[in-house]
């Protein structure tokens, strides 16, 4: 199914999104009316939306779950549930299935994206999420950090940022496949992950690489990606690469990629997946 045919909404987030307790001056958006979780709430239907938080990726799921309960409550949300899945068997339980069927929004936390795919990928709740995302208007799947990276089919599972221009430095794994056209990396600016996405796109040049800065996300709907939050999204388009030696190199060898197209997008800018086209927010327009 093409992105233009999908009826639901996907919101990948670059990690460290404002949860209403941020005292840093670098995040300048007002939490209640402009922050990323505000957009998640609004896309899901507003204050009455049923939001299910899944902290499976986290090593401290209880604490993470409480943080999201507090953040969404600060936004006026009255119906927020934490679904703490710690093994595959729990993904097949009736309570889990019922919650995924009833939710307006699924919110995946950060942590280790492989935990999400190992404990949820291919299970009944994963299949329900995918079916609802493809066929239901207003159904939202959001995810931050690991939760965003797991949305793709070809998923970055690990790899050193400093070594990632060398063949084999990036580890790939199968993700949940909500948006198979993309490869997503997070904490992108803060952790210097340009090389990770470059190698990932060299491995899969037919896919688009999205590098999301912290407190930055994209609302993906009908094949259109709208940038939200206070940072940048870096888009890597390998469709016009003229030289790519990834397939012939030994592991550990520095790579060469020529004519890799890179776009830098920020709040209010758009990217159209099928057309591989940028739509820039007009200078006179307000931020989102």
């Amino acid at each position: 199914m093409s992105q233009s045919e999908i009826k639901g909404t996907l919101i990948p987030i670059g990690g460290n999104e404002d949860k209403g307790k941020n005292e840093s001056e670098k995040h300048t958006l007002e939490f209640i009316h402009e922050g990323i979780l505000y957009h998640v709430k609004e896309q899901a239907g507003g204050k009455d939306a049923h939001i299910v938080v899944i902290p499976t990726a986290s090593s401290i799921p209880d604490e993470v779950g409480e943080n999201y309960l507090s953040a969404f409550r600060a936004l006026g949300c009255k119906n927020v549930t934490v679904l703490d899945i710690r093994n595959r068997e729990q993904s097949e339980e009736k309570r889990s299935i019922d919650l995924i069927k009833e939710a307006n929004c699924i919110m995946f936390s950060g942590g280790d994206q492989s935990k999400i795919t190992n404990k949820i990928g291919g299970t009944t709740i994963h299949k329900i999420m995918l079916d609802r995302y493809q066929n239901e208007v207003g159904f939202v799947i959001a995810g931050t950090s690991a939760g965003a990276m797991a949305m793709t089919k070809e998923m970055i599972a690990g790899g050193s940022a400093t070594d990632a221009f060398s063949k084999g430095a990036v580890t790939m794994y199968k993700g949940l496949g909500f948006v198979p056209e993309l490869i997503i990396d997070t904490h992108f600016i803060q952790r210097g992950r340009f090389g990770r996405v470059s190698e990932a796109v060299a491995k899969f040049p037919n896919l688009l690489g999205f590098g999301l800065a912290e407190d930055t996300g994209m609302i993906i709907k009908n094949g259109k990606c709208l940038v939200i939050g206070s940072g940048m999204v870096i888009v890597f388009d390998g469709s016009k690469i003229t030289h790519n030696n990834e397939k012939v190199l030994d592991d550990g060898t520095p790579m060469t990629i020529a004519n890799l197209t890179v776009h830098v997008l920020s709040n209010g800018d758009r990217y159209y997946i099928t057309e591989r086209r940028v739509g820039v927010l007009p200078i006179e327009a307000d931020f989102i």
Side-chain angles (χ1 to χ4, degrees):
M1 179 179 288
S2 70
Q3 281 298 310
S4 62
E5 297 174 304
I6 291 175
K7 295 182 171 62
T9 301
L10 207 65
I11 307 181
I13 304 162
N16 197 30
E17 70 281 1
D18 187 358
K19 298 180 183 67
K21 301 178 181 178
N22 200 328
E23 299 176 358
S24 172
E25 292 295 327
K26 72 176 181 177
H27 296 321
T28 58
L29 297 179
E30 205 279 311
F31 173 69
I32 298 297
H33 300 295
E34 296 177 316
I36 288 177
L37 296 183
Y38 162 79
H39 285 288
V40 172
K41 175 200 73 172
E42 290 298 298
Q43 290 294 319
K47 294 179 180 180
D48 294 326
H50 184 191
I51 299 171
V52 173
V53 176
I54 301 181
T56 296
S58 178
S59 60
I60 48 170
D62 293 332
E63 180 179 334
V64 167
E66 284 300 319
N67 285 341
Y68 278 105
L69 286 174
S70 175
F72 281 117
R73 285 169 183 161
L75 291 168
C77 297
K78 306 178 182 69
N79 192 6
V80 186
T81 306
V82 175
L83 177 56
D84 187 1
I85 293 175
R86 304 194 185 190
N87 55 62
R88 286 185 68 85
E89 289 73 21
Q90 289 175 299
S91 294
E92 302 292 346
E93 291 176 355
K94 184 179 185 301
R95 177 178 181 270
S96 302
I97 292 169
D98 289 345
L99 281 172
I100 300 305
K101 286 181 176 179
E102 295 166 4
N104 302 110
C105 172
I106 308 298
M107 177 78 205
F108 286 101
S109 79
D112 179 352
Q113 55 271 29
S114 298
K115 289 183 179 179
I116 297 174
T117 56
N118 288 337
K119 297 174 184 179
I120 295 176
T123 66
T124 297
I125 65 168
H126 175 211
K127 293 172 184 175
I128 294 169
M129 288 180 208
L130 183 59
D131 179 71
R132 294 192 65 195
Y133 169 59
Q134 290 177 342
N135 297 296
E136 290 188 28
V137 174
F139 180 67
V140 175
I141 300 176
T144 187
S145 187
M149 296 170 73
M151 292 177 174
T152 63
K153 181 179 179 182
E154 302 298 341
M155 181 186 77
I156 294 176
S160 165
T162 55
D163 296 334
F165 280 111
S166 299
K167 166 73 178 290
V170 174
T171 305
M172 304 297 294
Y173 198 56
K174 295 301 179 185
L176 299 180
F178 298 130
V179 58
E181 297 89 346
L182 304 185
I183 297 170
I184 296 174
D185 208 347
T186 57
H187 304 278
F188 187 76
I189 307 298
Q190 291 76 7
R191 300 185 187 179
R193 288 176 168 175
F194 188 98
R196 289 206 333 179
V197 179
S198 297
E199 184 183 348
V201 172
K203 290 177 180 293
F204 302 98
N206 59 313
L207 304 182
L208 289 160
F210 278 22
L212 279 63
E214 293 180 358
D215 193 48
T216 307
M218 301 194 86
I219 299 172
I220 303 176
K221 187 185 299 187
N222 303 125
K224 179 176 71 176
C225 308
L226 172 65
V227 181
I228 56 175
S230 64
M232 295 175 288
V233 174
I234 315 299
V235 180
F236 294 74
D237 181 356
S239 62
K240 296 181 180 179
I241 289 176
T242 55
H243 183 78
N244 178 4
N245 61 1
E246 190 272 339
K247 290 187 181 300
V248 301
L249 294 178
D250 294 330
D251 283 352
T253 307
M255 296 172 54
T256 304
I257 310 170
N259 289 308
L260 174 66
T261 302
V262 178
H263 306 287
V264 181
L265 308 180
S266 60
N267 187 288
D269 292 336
R270 290 166 170 79
Y271 191 84
Y272 301 85
I273 294 175
T274 302
E275 299 93 330
R276 299 201 170 200
R277 176 172 63 85
V278 172
V280 178
L281 182 72
I283 295 293
E284 67 276 9
D286 292 331
F287 290 132
I288 295 170

